[in-house]
Amino acid sequence: QVQLQESGPGLVKPSETLSLTCTVSGGSISSYYWSWIRQPPGKGLEWIGYIYYSGSTNYNPSLKSRVTISVDTSKNQFSLKLSSVTAADTAVYYCAGELMATIYYWGQGTLVTVSS
Amino acid sequence: QSALTQPASVSGSPGQSITISCTGTSSDVGSYNLVSWYQQHPGKAPKLMIYEVSKRPSGVSNRFSGSKSGNTASLTISGLQAEDEADYYCCSYAGSSTLVFGTGTKVTVL
């Protein structure tokens, strides 16, 4: 059974870069597309983007200019960087395993607050 | 890429059936049989309930079913139980390798 665990700072200052890492265990990193999804407090889900183990990526057009997703297959990890953050980027960030537009596996989520 | 439209809330009594709609456009829901549904309890990660419009993952109760007509997908919960009280989100492939989620529906069991 695939398990995902997010890690990274829970507090980021405005205008800085948010960085999170997801560690994949219990399965091959080559089996799924690895995604980031976020959920602002009290609001709905937003798909951020995905990466395949080969390194190919695709991003939500609304965030594309600020997002970078990368993968480290040797560590079974993938990462998210979101630049120039504002309070609107405060959210629970989930890493997830996706296939055929279906999110099969979710991490537990990590709250990132943007505040000075 | 706009969020798919769901009713903010739906309620029903135990044992009843409820249906949650998910309305998109011809660029997402209407063009692909790649709609999924997720259940989210407070403070928890979402859980996959339905994929590819009407398929149920192993372990999900057969009280949950999905369908699609035109630009609108639907999730039906039959024999409503207290444990079904949660938020539900639809999600669709939106072309160009992107996904779009619905606005979310709070299900209340009366």
Side-chain angles (χ1 to χ4, degrees):
Chain A
Q1 179 77 345
V2 173
Q3 292 186 313
L4 305 171
Q5 179 66 58
E6 304 91 349
S7 59
L11 181 64
V12 181
K13 290 183 168 56
S15 80
E16 295 190 346
T17 296
L18 177 160
S19 296
L20 295 173
T21 295
C22 182
T23 301
V24 180
S25 59
S28 171
I29 200 163
S30 63
S31 300
Y32 292 87
Y33 288 78
W34 302 104
S35 299
W36 288 97
I37 295 160
R38 69 180 183 178
Q39 184 173 35
K43 296 188 178 180
L45 300 166
E46 180 179 34
W47 180 79
I48 298 171
Y50 74 71
I51 190 164
Y52 195 47
Y53 79 100
S54 62
S56 65
T57 57
N58 204 47
Y59 303 132
N60 186 323
S62 68
L63 297 169
K64 188 173 184 177
S65 63
R66 297 194 293 131
V67 173
T68 302
I69 299 176
S70 58
V71 65
D72 185 338
T73 55
S74 68
K75 295 181 179 178
N76 262 26
Q77 292 178 335
F78 63 104
S79 298
L80 168 72
K81 290 189 186 299
L82 181 66
S83 64
S84 305
V85 298
T86 69
D89 294 310
T90 293
V92 173
Y93 285 77
Y94 294 99
C95 61
E98 173 193 332
L99 200 59
M100 288 291 288
T102 298
I103 309 296
Y104 285 93
Y105 300 106
W106 297 77
Q108 64 184 28
T110 187
L111 174 63
V112 179
T113 301
V114 178
S115 175
S116 55
Chain B
Q1 192 182 50
S2 298
L4 309 175
T5 301
Q6 299 180 231
S9 63
V10 173
S11 62
S13 299
Q16 286 187 329
S17 292
I18 62 169
T19 296
I20 303 168
S21 61
C22 169
T23 301
T25 69
S26 57
S27 297
D28 38 61
V29 175
S31 287
Y32 310 97
N33 288 324
L34 292 173
V35 176
S36 50
W37 290 89
Y38 304 87
Q39 176 192 65
Q40 186 180 35
H41 287 110
K44 300 294 187 182
K47 173 188 174 184
L48 176 65
M49 305 302 284
I50 294 288
Y51 68 101
E52 293 177 19
V53 175
S54 59
K55 298 178 181 178
R56 229 178 6 258
S58 173
V60 171
S61 170
N62 60 9
R63 297 185 299 104
F64 292 84
S65 61
S67 63
K68 191 187 86 166
S69 178
N71 296 339
T72 298
S74 299
L75 173 71
T76 298
I77 309 174
S78 58
L80 198 61
Q81 298 180 1
E83 68 210 47
D84 301 331
E85 186 161 295
D87 293 328
Y88 291 82
Y89 293 90
C90 61
C91 180
S92 175
Y93 182 69
S96 301
S97 299
T98 63
L99 299 184
V100 61
F101 282 97
T103 51
T105 298
K106 181 176 180 60
V107 169
T108 301
V109 181
L110 301 171

